[in-house]
Structure formats: C-alpha cells, structure tokens
Amino acid sequence: MGTNNYLHLNIKLAFHQKNSFEKRLKFRRDFIIYRKKKTKKIKIDGLSYYTQAEVRKAIAENGYINNSVGYYLKCKFATPKILPFVDTIYVSINAPDSITIHVKEKKRAGCLQYNGKYVYFDKNGYALESHEKKYDNVPLVTGLKYNELQMQKKIDVKDEKVFSYLLELTTAISKYHLPIDQIHIKDDGNALLISGNITVDLYDKNDIDIKIPELKGMLKKVKGKSGTIDMRY
C-alpha cells in the first residue's frame, strides 16, 4: 500500500472513530435526558372500536410507566394485555415528554345477545367482552346453538368451525361495506344475511369471496324493498 493511500485510510478511520464517539456521547446524553423526563403527552392511534378513554384507562391500570423510554422498552419486549380485543401496541417516542401508542385491534367475529347485552367473540369462539352497546360493523349472530356461555371462555358449540366461517363472513362484509345487520346460522350450518327487509341465502360455504362482492351491487338495486336473494350457484 502506498504512503498516500495509507495516510488516507488512517484519516478516514480517525474520522469514523470520532463520529462514532460523538454519536455514543450524544446517545448517552439524550438517554439521561429522556430517562429523567415524565411523559406529559400521549397520543393514541389505530383504534377501530375502542374509544380513546377506554384505552387510556386500560393502559393506566396495566403497568404503565410514566417515562417515554421506560414504557417504550416495556412494550417492545412484552406487549401489555390491556383489553380483550387489543392484539398489540407499539410505542414511538416523539419527544422526551411525548409518545404515540399505536394500537392494533383484533377482529371481532360477531356478537350474540345474551342477558340483555351484546357478547363479542373472537375467531376462536371465545366470549371476550360484554356491552350494552352494539358496534355498527359487527353483525349480530342469531341461530347459533350453544350449551352455555361464560365470559373469557370458549362458547360451547357442536361445530367449532362455525367461528372461522363467521370471521370470514364478517371480514368480507366489512371489506365491501355491506349494510348487514344480522347473520343467521341455519340448522345445516350455512348462513342467511339480513339487511333491512332483505334476506340473503348464501346456500353453502363455497365461493364467499365471489358472492360477497356480487352482493354489494344486488343490495343497492333492492334498497327499500323486501324479499329474498338466493345465491345458490
């Protein structure tokens, strides 16, 4: 290696070492500042069903640390279980005293009316929440036969595949913004969709990805009318 190249390499290495040292120094300085600061401002985004107040209350009651770095690290290594239909939360630091909590909610497969309330269940059939209010985008499920219903436990039904079927329907209905008020499970396990005075007979579990998009146009044409749409292919 020539003298000039050797000198250039040493200068370059010294520059990087200096930069690296300055970055480490800045990191330590910033860490001390962030570590001592209490969080004054919390933003929450990503909500579909839960309210800001519900999430804030749940966070405060489930291991919240009033420090941006502390809470960021806590959530990074283990997502706190704050609410039944919250899948994960991710914390980003905006400033020493400001954070944003990004919430990802789990999909509600449907709800049942039970003892005067709406019981919401997940894709595995666990009854996770009970409310007096009904969420607009979660269809009411009727006709589902179960032996008993206990909160935080799996709904005891004969065919557990019904829950994945309901989730498939609910997801498709939400995706295409269909005005479906109710999903009725027939004795043969297939579904009727109720939209106002219109009943949609899906006939079987096949071709849901085709039937639901087609149904969107059909419902527009029969808006304000009554009758049955037979989707037997």
Side-chain angles (χ1 to χ4, degrees), residues 118-163:
Y118 295 98
V119 176
Y120 295 86
F121 56 88
D122 68 4
K123 64 180 181 180
N124 297 314
Y126 283 88
L128 296 181
E129 282 185 338
S130 177
H131 295 295
E132 291 184 356
K133 66 179 179 182
K134 181 185 175 300
Y135 295 118
D136 292 337
N137 295 328
V138 182
L140 175 66
V141 177
T142 59
L144 188 65
K145 294 179 174 57
Y146 52 88
N147 296 320
E148 61 177 347
L149 195 155
Q150 295 182 40
M151 297 306 300
Q152 310 307 319
K153 291 189 177 182
K154 201 164 191 173
I155 302 169
D156 187 12
V157 295
K158 186 176 180 180
D159 183 8
E160 293 186 359
K161 291 180 181 178
V162 68
F163 296 116

Side-chain angles (χ1 to χ4, degrees), residues 41-103:
K41 188 174 183 180
I42 300 174
K43 296 179 182 178
I44 298 173
D45 67 19
L47 301 181
S48 299
Y49 297 99
Y50 288 121
T51 65
Q52 293 264 339
E54 286 173 330
V55 173
R56 288 179 185 277
K57 183 174 183 293
I59 287 171
E61 294 173 350
N62 289 275
Y64 173 68
I65 299 172
N66 192 19
N67 173 265
S68 59
V69 172
Y71 197 57
Y72 166 80
L73 292 173
K74 178 183 177 70
C75 296
K76 183 176 178 63
F77 293 109
T79 296
K81 294 182 178 179
I82 59 170
L83 289 164
F85 281 101
V86 168
D87 189 17
T88 58
I89 65 173
Y90 169 75
V91 177
S92 58
I93 300 173
N94 309 317
D97 60 352
S98 173
I99 61 173
T100 297
I101 299 176
H102 310 274
V103 179

Side-chain angles (χ1 to χ4, degrees), residues 1 16 18 22-23 26 37 54 76 86 89 96 119-120 135 147-148 156 162 175 184 186 194 202 228-229 231:
M1 179 183 294
H16 281 299
K18 182 183 178 182
E22 288 177 350
K23 285 179 181 177
K26 183 179 184 301
K37 282 279 187 179
E54 286 173 330
K76 183 176 178 63
V86 168
I89 65 173
V119 176
Y120 295 86
Y135 295 118
N147 296 320
E148 61 177 347
D156 187 12
V162 68
K175 179 180 179 181
H184 180 80
K186 300 186 292 182
I194 314 298
L202 295 176
T228 300
I229 297 175
M231 302 202 76

Side-chain angles (χ1 to χ4, degrees), residues 160-212:
E160 293 186 359
K161 291 180 181 178
V162 68
F163 296 116
S164 58
Y165 176 45
L166 285 168
L167 181 64
E168 182 183 10
L169 290 175
T170 303
T171 302
I173 288 167
S174 176
K175 179 180 179 181
Y176 292 100
H177 307 288
L178 299 186
I180 301 299
D181 310 311
Q182 185 183 138
I183 299 175
H184 180 80
I185 301 299
K186 300 186 292 182
D187 291 339
D188 62 4
N190 295 309
L192 298 175
L193 306 182
I194 314 298
S195 176
N197 293 320
I198 297 293
T199 298
V200 180
D201 190 346
L202 295 176
Y203 182 67
D204 57 26
K205 299 179 180 66
N206 299 326
D207 303 315
I208 297 300
D209 58 331
I210 298 174
K211 291 177 180 178
I212 297 300

Side-chain angles (χ1 to χ4, degrees), residues 1-12:
M1 179 183 294
T3 303
N4 288 341
N5 288 341
Y6 182 77
L7 182 62
H8 176 73
L9 182 62
N10 278 347
I11 292 172
K12 188 175 182 182

